[in-house]
Amino acid sequence: MTSTAKSLPVAPNQIELAIGGMTCASCAARIEKKLNRMEGVQATVNYATEKATVRYADEVTPDDLIATVEKTGYTAVLPPPPTPAGTEPAAEPVDELRGLRTRLWVSVALAVPVILLAMVPAWQFDYWQWLSLTLAAPVVVYGGLPFHRAAWINLRHGAATMDTLVSLGTLAAFGWSLWALFLGDAGMPGMTHPFRFDITRTDGAGNIYLEAAAGVTVFILAGRYFEARSKRTAGAALRALLELGAKDVAVLRGGQETRIPVDQLVVGDRFVVRPGEKVATDGVVADGTSAVDASMLTGESVPVEVGPGDTVVGATVNAGGRLVVRATRIGGDTQLAQMGKLVEAAQTGKAAVQRLADRISGVFVPIVIALAAGTLGWWLGAGAGPTAAFTAAVAVLIIACPCALGLATPTALLVGTGRGAQLGILIKGPEVLESTRQVDTVVLDKTGTVTTGKMTLVDVLPAADQDADELFRLAGALEAASEHPIAQAIAAGAAEAGTLPTVTGFANVEGLGVTGSVDGRDLVVGRLRLLRERGLDVPEEVARAVTDAEGAGRTAVLAGWDGRARGVLAVADVVKPTSRAAVTRLRELGLTPVLLTGDNATVARAVAAEVGIAEVIAEVLPADKVDVVKRLQGEGRTVAMVGDGINDAAALAQADLGLAMGTGTDVAIEASDLTLVRGDLMAAVDAIRLSRRTLGIIKGNLFWAFAYNVAALPLAAAGLLNPMIAGAAMAFSSVFVVANSLRLRRFRPVA
């Protein structure tokens, strides 16, 4: 995507168009330019998502916008209406990826014999050239159809891309081969391509270039297939968001519970949420108390206590008691739906990095075409005759055809992504790599990224005259009877130390703690307020321990019996073991770390101090995370974002480079550019190192691929290019590119 936005005084309407027919980033730029030339229109076109977001004045209609896109040589359609829940979406008329894969494999099967016959003279039997023609023709026509179609569209609009070069080169090679076979000497029985290392001038009548036409088509088609496969996931984040919410709900109507699909809820309906169930939609608690786990939406690591009058958000999980909730927002108005819109807006507005090959070919293609035309004219003017002149001109186009160029990006990407997968790093596509070199700031989500994302018992602080083991054992036994996540963290820690005694008379005091009898003692475990309400004395040292624990960003749980508080159990979302070392490594890569979280400032500062991060931004909502990334980008920084939750998805999409922990949600993973399967922040370090190394290999491949073309072009223009040497040189350039890419297999993670 390019930005050609202009001042737009009044543009009250906005629409999104699905664009078809784009083959490279220059196509997106051309459409965007045409749309922005319309009066009262402001448009951005994203090649990766194949969408155009357009703001337009009242004088312009959607039909006008579609007509402009179609005049540019592409297709545009309005987005389909939302699909009702429970119904199957309409099938796509054409599965582009499946069609491209079929085209690729058919072309490979037909092209391999053609290349082998041309390169191994011993296999060139009588009439082998006619078998080669039979096999190569479908490859050039059927396999190369996407390139020929794109070249024709580009030609109609005065543009040239790599598609133009591929189409010209393959058609020139195939066309000359047809001339040589039917009108020249190449169709004679017993014709062979002798493998000679000398360069001699020929008239071309006995030369065929079918292997070049078929081979180049296959190589470039393979690159196009891998690109299309990576682009296919562009909308998966939104699909994952839609899958996240509850599918049905128990609604209270006429005093009876009735199970209905969520999309049938109306504002004002009262519905039941049992322990472990998802909240169906945004609402207000009408009855019951519980703890709601909203960490995936808000980033808050501690479950939130809710009671009558408190708001709850759809898709959060009820971790405690039974709730009755009154629906306040449904459908597209819910917070989950708004987050989906944030992700979509961030993806659409994100600049697509133009393919390196397209950048170079934008200059290289016109030069080659001009050189071929000049060669033809020079030889005709020198009196060498039309055969020699056309041979030299066609040789220029053939030798310039980017065989190694077609392998430069896909092979490095395949080896790099394969090595990355072994290390727990998934790279989504070639456009991701370029961002890693420019990144100077890395924004780290706290919950689940720097920390483990789950509550863990971290300290037991007994009163002066209290045995720590007894405090631990008794409090752990009582908490084991509770479903609350903090209680479960204490119980799990106590269970590791030994068998827990039996609890009798257990009672849950909603939002405050629990009571019960253990080993003949009446225990009260919970907040400071609960112990004081039950008449237990809280010594100064215990109150101070509570203050110190909360000051360190921990949740303090008091335990007491026999009229006195006996100690404090501190629970926290602990930092992952490798996080501090990973932050140090990120700094060594030239990145400035920033901790970003929806958690409270005290907890955030404590975690930041533990891992060595100076800049902390806390208590932010999902929309605020996007704004923070935009603000950093507005300061001239190139931002990488590392996160794992739904609350991070929009920020991951907005960032110049998004890295998602594979232990997180599908939404975050699909909105990101890189996925860290290990769930370890050190993997982010390896991901950036591997991406930068892969990008370096790709650039090296592109340099040598073009260097080969540039070195051979003068020989072709001089009419001194032996077809077999040209074929061998082309094969060598391809082998070199593959060998260079294989060096990525030696990449090692940081110790």
Side-chain angles (χ1 to χ4, degrees):
M1 184 197 75
T2 60
S3 180
T4 55
K6 58 180 181 289
S7 176
L8 193 64
V10 180
N13 308 304
Q14 180 166 319
I15 196 171
E16 189 175 80
L17 299 175
I19 307 296
M22 294 191 294
T23 60
C24 64
S26 60
C27 298
R30 195 173 307 125
I31 298 169
E32 189 172 290
K33 187 176 180 181
K34 291 285 187 181
L35 286 172
N36 280 310
R37 282 180 177 173
M38 298 175 67
E39 189 65 33
V41 172
Q42 184 181 38
T44 56
V45 181
N46 191 299
Y47 168 57
T49 59
E50 297 182 327
K51 291 179 180 178
T53 301
V54 188
R55 294 182 63 205
Y56 59 98
D58 291 331
E59 306 83 55
V60 181
T61 67
D63 289 339
D64 296 333
L65 300 173
I66 292 174
T68 298
V69 175
E70 290 176 345
K71 287 177 185 176
T72 313
Y74 305 89
T75 63
V77 295
L78 295 171
T83 304
T87 63
E88 291 294 324
E92 295 181 5
V94 179
D95 188 334
E96 178 190 0
L97 191 63
R98 186 185 301 131
L100 198 53
R101 182 170 61 242
T102 301
R103 195 183 299 271
L104 173 61
W105 285 117
V106 169
S107 299
V108 168
L110 296 175
V112 168
V114 175
I115 296 171
L116 289 177
L117 284 173
M119 300 301 291
V120 185
W123 294 354
Q124 294 171 3
F125 53 87
D126 287 348
Y127 300 110
W128 69 273
Q129 65 272 42
W130 296 102
L131 175 61
S132 292
L133 175 63
T134 304
L135 296 174
V139 177
V140 175
V141 177
Y142 167 72
L145 184 60
F147 311 118
H148 306 320
R149 186 188 295 121
W152 173 245
I153 292 173
N154 291 327
L155 178 63
R156 286 170 50 199
H157 297 90
T161 65
M162 197 169 109
D163 289 318
T164 307
L165 194 58
V166 172
S167 180
L168 269 177
T170 54
L171 289 179
F174 187 71
W176 186 262
S177 300
L178 289 177
W179 181 90
L181 285 168
F182 287 99
L183 302 177
D185 302 330
M188 302 296 291
M191 186 279 287
T192 60
H193 269 174
F195 194 83
R196 298 199 313 252
F197 285 99
D198 60 315
I199 299 176
T200 56
R201 183 178 292 125
T202 68
D203 65 0
N207 297 333
I208 59 174
Y209 300 93
L210 294 172
E211 77 285 356
V216 168
T217 300
V218 166
F219 289 138
I220 307 301
L221 197 58
R224 185 63 52 83
Y225 168 72
F226 292 124
E227 179 181 29
R229 191 172 66 174
S230 68
K231 281 171 54 182
R232 186 180 176 87
T233 61
L238 300 179
R239 291 193 295 272
L241 271 174
L242 294 176
E243 290 296 318
L244 181 73
K247 301 298 182 292
D248 53 25
V249 58
V251 67
L252 293 173
R253 289 178 179 170
Q256 300 291 324
E257 282 190 29
T258 306
R259 207 94 193 160
I260 63 171
V262 170
D263 65 334
Q264 294 181 15
L265 269 178
V266 297
V267 173
D269 271 345
R270 290 158 56 93
F271 59 91
V272 177
V273 188
R274 293 181 174 80
E277 288 185 341
K278 292 178 181 178
V279 178
T281 192
D282 296 359
V284 175
V285 177
D287 185 39
T289 56
S290 183
V292 174
D293 182 1
S295 61
M296 293 311 231
L297 281 172
T298 66
E300 177 69 44
S301 55
V302 180
V304 180
E305 303 285 351
V306 296
D310 292 330
T311 60
V312 289
V313 178
T316 55
V317 179
N318 179 14
R322 178 180 182 272
L323 295 175
V324 176
V325 179
R326 178 172 53 82
T328 56
R329 291 188 293 186
I330 59 172
D333 296 327
T334 64
Q335 185 171 329
L336 181 65
Q338 294 300 318
M339 291 179 69
K341 293 175 183 176
L342 281 172
V343 172
E344 187 171 24
Q347 283 187 335
T348 303
K350 184 178 180 179
V353 180
Q354 189 173 359
R355 294 293 293 271
L356 295 176
D358 279 329
R359 283 183 179 175
I360 302 171
S361 64
V363 177
F364 187 66
V365 173
I367 292 175
V368 170
I369 294 173
L371 183 59
T375 300
L376 177 65
W378 191 88
W379 281 106
L380 287 174
T387 301
F390 276 101
T391 299
V394 169
V396 169
L397 289 175
I398 292 170
I399 201 63
C401 218
C403 180
L405 183 62
L407 290 170
T409 297
T411 55
L413 187 64
L414 283 175
V415 179
T417 53
R419 181 60 182 144
Q422 293 174 339
L423 302 175
I425 302 161
L426 304 181
I427 303 172
K428 289 200 172 177
E431 65 280 355
V432 171
L433 304 176
E434 210 169 14
S435 299
T436 63
R437 188 172 294 277
Q438 284 81 31
V439 165
D440 53 33
T441 301
V442 57
V443 176
L444 305 174
D445 170 57
K446 181 186 76 67
T447 306
T449 301
V450 176
T451 65
T452 60
K454 61 181 181 180
M455 305 306 289
T456 305
L457 180 68
V458 294
D459 207 355
V460 178
L461 306 166
D465 58 347
Q466 177 62 46
D467 179 65
D469 291 339
E470 184 184 31
L471 171 67
F472 195 18
R473 186 175 65 88
L474 295 179
L478 185 60
E479 292 284 47
S482 172
E483 297 176 340
H484 197 287
I486 293 178
Q488 289 298 307
I490 295 173
E496 291 179 2
T499 305
L500 299 178
T502 305
V503 178
T504 59
F506 175 83
N508 181 31
V509 183
E510 298 291 354
L512 293 177
V514 294
T515 62
S517 296
V518 181
D519 284 354
R521 293 187 174 90
D522 293 331
L523 266 67
V524 179
V525 178
R527 295 185 179 183
L528 178 63
R529 173 185 160 189
L530 177 63
L531 270 71
R532 284 178 171 161
E533 284 182 356
R534 295 302 170 99
L536 275 71
D537 177 54
V538 180
E540 183 180 344
E541 60 179 303
V542 174
R544 189 165 53 248
V546 171
T547 303
D548 292 344
E550 291 177 344
R554 299 170 177 176
T555 299
V557 178
L558 289 82
W561 60 85
D562 294 340
R564 189 160 61 89
R566 302 289 177 164
V568 176
L569 300 102
V571 177
D573 179 12
V574 297
V575 170
K576 292 179 180 178
T578 59
S579 290
R580 183 175 182 85
V583 169
T584 301
R585 291 284 187 174
L586 289 169
R587 280 206 179 90
E588 292 173 357
L589 290 172
L591 307 177
T592 301
V594 177
L595 188 67
L596 179 65
T597 179
D599 221 332
N600 67 73
T602 301
V603 173
R605 282 194 294 269
V607 170
E610 188 173 346
V611 299
I613 297 177
E615 190 172 350
V616 180
I617 304 172
E619 300 178 12
V620 291
L621 297 174
D624 296 331
K625 290 192 175 186
V626 178
D627 292 337
V628 168
V629 172
K630 287 181 179 178
R631 176 172 60 78
L632 293 172
Q633 291 171 328
E635 294 172 0
R637 301 200 211 181
T638 304
V639 180
M641 170 78 185
V642 187
D644 75 327
I646 300 161
N647 60 306
D648 304 315
L652 287 167
Q654 174 64 39
D656 299 283
L657 179 70
L659 299 95
M661 292 291 187
T663 50
T665 66
D666 291 342
V667 180
I669 290 170
E670 295 298 348
S672 68
D673 303 305
L674 291 161
T675 300
L676 313 176
V677 177
R678 302 206 308 259
D680 179 354
L681 193 56
M682 194 65 81
V685 178
D686 291 333
I688 292 174
R689 290 177 57 242
L690 177 61
S691 297
R692 289 179 176 180
R693 182 82 58 83
T694 305
L695 179 64
I697 293 290
I698 289 176
K699 287 186 174 181
N701 286 348
L702 292 173
F703 171 78
W704 288 111
F706 276 106
Y708 153 76
N709 290 121
V710 172
L713 278 173
L715 295 177
L720 298 173
L721 194 64
N722 182 295
M724 289 310 297
I725 290 183
M730 186 175 290
F732 173 77
S733 68
S734 300
V735 170
F736 175 83
V737 162
V738 172
N740 192 40
S741 298
L742 289 174
R743 293 195 299 127
L744 285 167
R745 296 170 64 182
R746 299 198 295 268
F747 176 85
R748 294 289 180 267
V750 293

